[in-house]
């Protein structure tokens, strides 16, 4: 099933079988610095234990879910831009266009297409309960 990361946070909203949890950024997040804002992030989690607003909870996130998300958001657009630039360069050669402009256009085009793929992935994850963190313990 893969490695599971266990974190803690504070329930700040309830929505049926889902809750919003305010989580202090852990060391991995602090060293990354990709997310702007305060020292806290808000996540949605599956509320299998009936946690209420104001309770501290422990939740688990599957590492494969984190890796899939990171790949789709950070790596896929870069790969798409590189492939697009290469294809644009080749098209520029074949059709006698300015190679630099053709590479930029190709890279930009595939980068934008990859953003569409990221958006579709985000929508599918929003519907897929198995990709979301799950509350495993109510601490207080």
């Amino acid at each position: 099933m893969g490695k599971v990361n266990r974190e803690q946070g504070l329930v700040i909203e309830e929505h049926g079988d889902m809750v919003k949890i305010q989580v202090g950024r852990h060391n991995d997040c602090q060293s990354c610095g990709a997310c702007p804002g305060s020292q806290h992030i808000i996540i949605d989690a599956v509320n299998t234990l009936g946690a209420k607003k104001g309770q501290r909870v422990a939740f688990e996130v599957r590492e494969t879910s984190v890796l899939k998300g990171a790949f789709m958001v950070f790596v896929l657009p870069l790969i798409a831009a590189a492939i697009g630039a290469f294809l644009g360069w080749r098209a520029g050669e074949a059709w006698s266009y300015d190679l630099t402009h053709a590479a930029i256009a190709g890279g930009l085009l595939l980068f934008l297409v990859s953003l569409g793929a990221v958006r579709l992935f985000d929508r599918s994850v929003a519907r897929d309960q198995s990709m979301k963190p799950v509350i495993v313990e109510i601490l207080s």
Side-chain angles (χ1 to χ4, degrees):
M1 181 171 158
K3 185 177 176 187
V4 176
N5 295 326
R6 188 176 174 121
E7 301 285 338
Q8 295 181 9
L10 179 69
V11 176
I12 59 171
E13 286 182 34
E14 301 170 55
H15 300 285
D17 65 342
M18 298 296 294
V19 292
K20 290 195 180 292
I21 301 175
Q22 182 178 22
V23 182
R25 289 169 43 169
H26 50 79
N27 289 338
D28 291 342
C29 284
Q30 289 173 344
S31 63
C32 170
C35 301
S38 68
Q39 294 300 311
H40 297 283
I41 57 173
I42 308 295
I43 63 156
D44 291 325
V46 179
N47 188 10
T48 57
L49 300 181
K52 302 292 182 201
K53 182 177 178 178
Q55 290 183 313
R56 287 202 59 73
V57 294
F59 61 93
E60 291 182 345
V61 181
R62 290 189 324 182
E63 192 171 271
T64 55
S65 299
V66 174
L67 293 175
K68 282 181 191 175
F71 176 83
M72 288 298 294
V73 172
F74 297 114
V75 179
L76 179 67
L78 293 175
I79 291 172
I83 291 171
F86 173 75
L87 293 176
W89 182 275
R90 297 296 299 211
E93 285 180 332
W95 296 326
S96 299
Y97 289 134
D98 178 64
L99 297 181
T100 303
H101 288 116
I104 290 170
L108 184 60
L109 178 65
L110 278 189
F111 177 77
L112 293 174
V113 169
S114 74
L115 293 182
V118 169
R119 187 172 183 151
L120 289 174
F121 175 76
D122 183 49
R123 287 182 182 169
S124 73
V125 168
R127 292 186 300 268
D128 186 359
Q129 298 283 38
S130 69
M131 293 281 290
K132 295 187 184 311
V134 177
I135 295 177
V136 294
E137 183 180 357
I138 298 174
L139 303 173
S140 63

